Structures are given as structure tokens and as C-alpha cells.
DNA sequence: TATAAAAGTGAGTAATTGCTTGCAATTATA
DNA sequence: TATAATTGCAAGCAATTACTCACTTTTATA
């Protein structure tokens, strides 16, 4: 009967993310996945009904991984500004170790071909901005962040900053240290959000 | 002899951008381009050696269009902060009218398949951040922007903000008014960069 | 108007690739 | 051990698609 289904599924997902990182989404054919896992190509379809379903599962898997990594900062107990700082750092670190994420994020498979895949990403992004805007409101309530800011709008822009940075990283072939960008990035965000932000050093 | 080559080339480029905007890059087949222009599919290859060459030409064309739209703000005579504000506004307006740009930008064709295409984009991005960092240095010299900021780093982050916003726009099916985001976006940038930024209303 | 070059096309090729099918091997369980 | 379910695979189908070729039509120009 071969390996149990759940284990194989995860192997297929991992192979997909590995291959996406190194080859790009387009080249992640079901044959390539099968070779990487070490099974025959039709066997892939024993575990996923369609190729798209594999990508949806991969996005969900990596999304869950990201949230598991960031959950501590979303709901921690320290001051909101420090938690946001740590969040940015942890997020860039996580992404720099999961290059499959930007590959999937910037694929046209996501952008028009697969509504399901897009929905999965929209869900992740909405969850993220919701958590960040909550943190910003906490920071405002504590007098740490400027009260005249629209928390939700700011959360979107913080997300945009990170995504834009990741996109630059992807376009430039992952050839700079993404995690190292956390500090100047935080300098920028702090300057924009914090009450005493004008003193930030970038 | 049919239409002169230069004119047909532009028609093919325009068709490519139109189709990319409405269908996504993957579905821009040479057949679809030919249909859209009103010629036979092999005729496309009279004007471009390969399909990739069409995409490279399309990116270059839209990049030139963008710079033509922004040139006035790069080298204007007014205060640097006002020019940057207008730049952001003009850029979002231009992109919102050229949806083919994000489609190409977020395609995996760009991200791994076609080194030439990626090079074209890298060139555009480098030119952009160079101009913006020059503006920021002008703003610093005029005492408008915080002197302790690294102009180049800030320029990258401004670019990242816009790209991230455009990406969000693309992922959410172009379903909000991108141009309208210019003002809150500028509020955020102003808060981060300007000497009196702490008073900015977002 | 004659000519050559360029633009255009119908028909076809080769390669890729998602997915199916019929059948064999393996394993859980009764 | 017998049975049923699941996992696995070799072979192949059907569709797509970038690109070629032999040939015709159009146009510039000498």
C-alpha cells in the first residue's frame, strides 16, 4: 500500500515548495514533483486530484508555518512597538528561509489562473493585516504610536513594505540578505508610526 | 507587404499588454496576440524572433511610458517633498491605467524563466530608485527631510511601498481604486521622511 | 511597369504536460 | 490466511503551443 497518504501528501507539498524556490513555479511539473519525491508521476494524482490542488495545499502549508512563527508577537504581552519590531524581524527571517513563498506569490498561476489559490493568499493577507492593525491600535492606546493614524491603513502599508521588499529580493535573484533588511525597514516604520519616530536612525 | 514593421511591432506590444491585463500572462499565447491584432499566428514571428522577445519589448515599452510620465517630477524645480508627493500620485495613476504592468511584474515568466525580461525590470527599478534617492538628498539639503536618513535605503523602501501596494491591488483583482491610495500612502511616507512628519494626518 | 524585398498565411511539426486507465504490489484487518 | 482497500506504476491520451516552411500577396522603388 506504500506510505500512508498524509505523509506522502506532505512530501509532495515539500517537494513543490523546494522546486518552486529553485526552479520557479512554471517548471514545477507533476513529473518534476514525482521525481523529487521518488515516485511515479501518476502516483501524484493518487494524493491530489489536480495540480492546482497541490499549489493550494502548498500555500496553505506555508501560510500556517508563517503564522505559527509570528503568533507569539501578535499576541505577546510586551509593548506593541517592540512586538511589531520583532514581528518584522521574524517575518523577514522566515521568508528568507522559505523562498518558495515569494515564488508562489509572484506567479501568474496565482494571479489569474487559479481563483482557489488566490483566495488562499487573500485569506492569509487579510489575517495578517488584521493582526497588525490590532497591534497598532494597542500601540495607540498605550500612547506609543501616533493617535491620528488610521490603524488599518497603516497595517496595509506595513504589509506592502514587506511585500515590496520581498519582491525586490526575488527580482534581484535573492542576492541580498533579506533578514538584514529588517533593521532599516523597522527604522522607516518606526519613523512613520511612533510618537517619537522623528528621532529614528535609518 | 502589409503594414510597416514598426507599426505592427507596436500593435503586437499593445495587444500583449492588453491581453496580459485582462487574461494574465500565461494566456497571452502567440495565437491570442495574433487574433487580437487581426493577423495570422505565424506573422507574429515575422516581427519578433521569439515569444520572450515580445515580453521584453512590452516591458521596455511600458517602462519608457512610466518614465515619460514621471520625468517632470524627477527633475522639476519645486520643493523636493512636493515633487515626491506628485510623483507618487502620478505613478499610481499611471499604473492604474496600465494593468499589464503588474501582470508582467508578478509573472513567473519574469521571475525565473526569462533572464532578459528580469534584466529589463532590474534596469527600470534601479533607474527609479536612483532618481528618488536624488530627490531625497535634495530634500535633505533643503532642510525638508530628516538628515539622519539614508537616502538610498529610503528610496528603496518608497519603491517597495508602491510595489507592495500594487501587488495587493493585483491579488485583490484590481478591486479598489489604486490612484485613491496615493494620499494615505503619501501620509505614511511624509511621516517617515519629513522633518515635520509627526504632524502628518493619515 | 518590372522587380525585389518584406509582410502575410495555411498547414504542419515537435515537444510538453496534465491527467486517465488497467493492472500489480502492498498492507490492514477480519 | 482471505479480503478489501489503498498505494503504486507503465503506457498512453488529448490538448496546448512555440515555432517552421513553402508559398502567395502586397508594396516600395528603380
Amino acid at each position: 500500500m506504500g506510505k500512508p497518504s498524509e505523509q506522502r501528501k506532505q512530501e509532495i507539498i515539500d517537494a513543490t515548495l523546494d522546486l518552486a524556490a529553485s526552479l520557479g513555479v512554471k517548471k514545477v511539473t507533476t513529473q518534476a514533483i514525482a521525481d523529487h519525491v521518488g515516485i511515479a508521476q501518476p502516483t501524484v494524482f493518487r494524493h491530489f486530484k489536480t495540480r492546482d490542488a497541490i499549489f493550494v495545499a502548498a500555500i496553505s502549508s506555508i501560510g500556517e508555518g508563517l503564522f505559527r512563527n509570528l503568533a507569539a508577537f501578535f499576541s505577546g504581552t510586551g509593548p506593541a512597538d517592540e512586538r511589531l519590531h520583532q514581528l518584522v524581524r521574524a517575518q523577514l527571517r522566515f521568508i528568507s528561509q522559505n523562498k518558495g513563498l515569494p515564488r508562489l506569490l509572484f506567479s501568474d498561476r496565482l494571479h489569474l489562473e487559479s481563483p482557489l489559490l488566490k483566495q488562499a493568499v487573500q485569506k492569509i493577507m487579510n489575517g495578517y493585516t488584521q493582526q497588525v492593525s490590532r497591534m497598532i491600535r494597542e500601540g495607540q492606546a498605550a500612547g506609543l504610536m501616533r493617535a491620528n493614524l488610521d490603524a488599518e491603513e497603516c497595517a496595509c502599508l506595513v504589509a506592502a513594505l514587506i511585500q515590496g521588499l520581498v519582491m525586490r529580493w526575488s527580482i534581484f535573484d535573492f542576492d541580498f540578505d533579506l533578514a538584514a533588511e529588517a533593521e532599516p525597514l523597522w527604522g522607516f516604520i518606526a519613523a512613520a508610526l511612533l510618537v517619537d519616530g522623528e528621532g529614528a536612525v535609518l
Side-chain angles (χ1 to χ4, degrees), chain A:
Chain A
M1 196 166 69
K3 291 198 184 182
S5 187
E6 282 313 310
Q7 192 177 335
R8 268 281 188 261
K9 266 190 171 171
Q10 195 56 49
E11 285 180 18
I12 289 172
I13 288 172
D14 291 344
T16 301
L17 290 170
D18 276 5
L19 290 168
S22 55
L23 303 177
V25 173
K26 166 100 192 261
K27 288 183 183 164
V28 183
T29 62
T30 53
Q31 182 66 63
I33 294 171
D35 291 348
H36 202 259
V37 172
I39 56 179
Q41 184 254 13
T43 305
V44 172
F45 290 93
R46 284 272 177 221
H47 302 279
F48 292 94
K49 211 162 165 38
T50 65
R51 180 170 175 257
D52 250 9
I54 303 173
F55 286 108
V56 171
I59 274 278
S60 299
S61 166
I62 210 167
E64 280 162 27
L66 181 64
F67 267 81
R68 225 177 298 123
N69 252 266
L70 303 185
F73 309 109
F74 282 147
S75 55
T77 52
D81 60 339
E82 276 180 29
R83 272 160 48 216
L84 189 57
H85 186 175
Q86 289 174 315
L87 179 83
V88 167
R89 233 181 303 180
Q91 189 172 357
L92 291 184
R93 197 177 336 115
F94 180 87
I95 295 173
S96 72
Q97 288 163 359
N98 291 274
K99 294 177 182 168
L101 181 62
R103 289 293 184 224
L104 284 176
L105 230 50
F106 303 143
S107 71
D108 43 342
R109 185 156 308 273
L110 186 156
H111 279 258
L112 236 141
E113 241 177 291
S114 168
L116 272 179
L117 196 52
K118 193 187 285 204
Q119 272 173 24
V121 174
Q122 287 178 353
K123 206 172 147 190
I124 292 172
M125 283 178 65
N126 279 332
Y128 178 85
T129 54
Q130 205 180 322
Q131 294 289 333
V132 171
S133 70
R134 205 177 40 68
M135 287 174 78
I136 292 176
R137 274 191 297 274
E138 280 177 34
Q140 289 172 323
L144 294 166
M145 297 185 191
R146 299 177 186 170
N148 60 340
L149 300 176
D150 178 327
E152 209 152 322
E153 188 73 53
C154 284
C156 282
L157 291 175
V158 168
L161 262 173
I162 291 172
Q163 279 160 22
L165 202 56
V166 170
M167 190 188 157
R168 180 184 182 79
W169 185 58
S170 175
I171 285 185
F172 283 90
D173 291 314
F174 304 139
D175 70 354
F176 61 86
D177 182 357
L178 184 67
E181 289 295 311
E183 297 319 311
L185 175 60
W186 172 248
F188 192 88
I189 294 172
L193 297 186
L194 300 190
V195 167
D196 61 351
E198 69 269 19
V201 179
L202 195 51

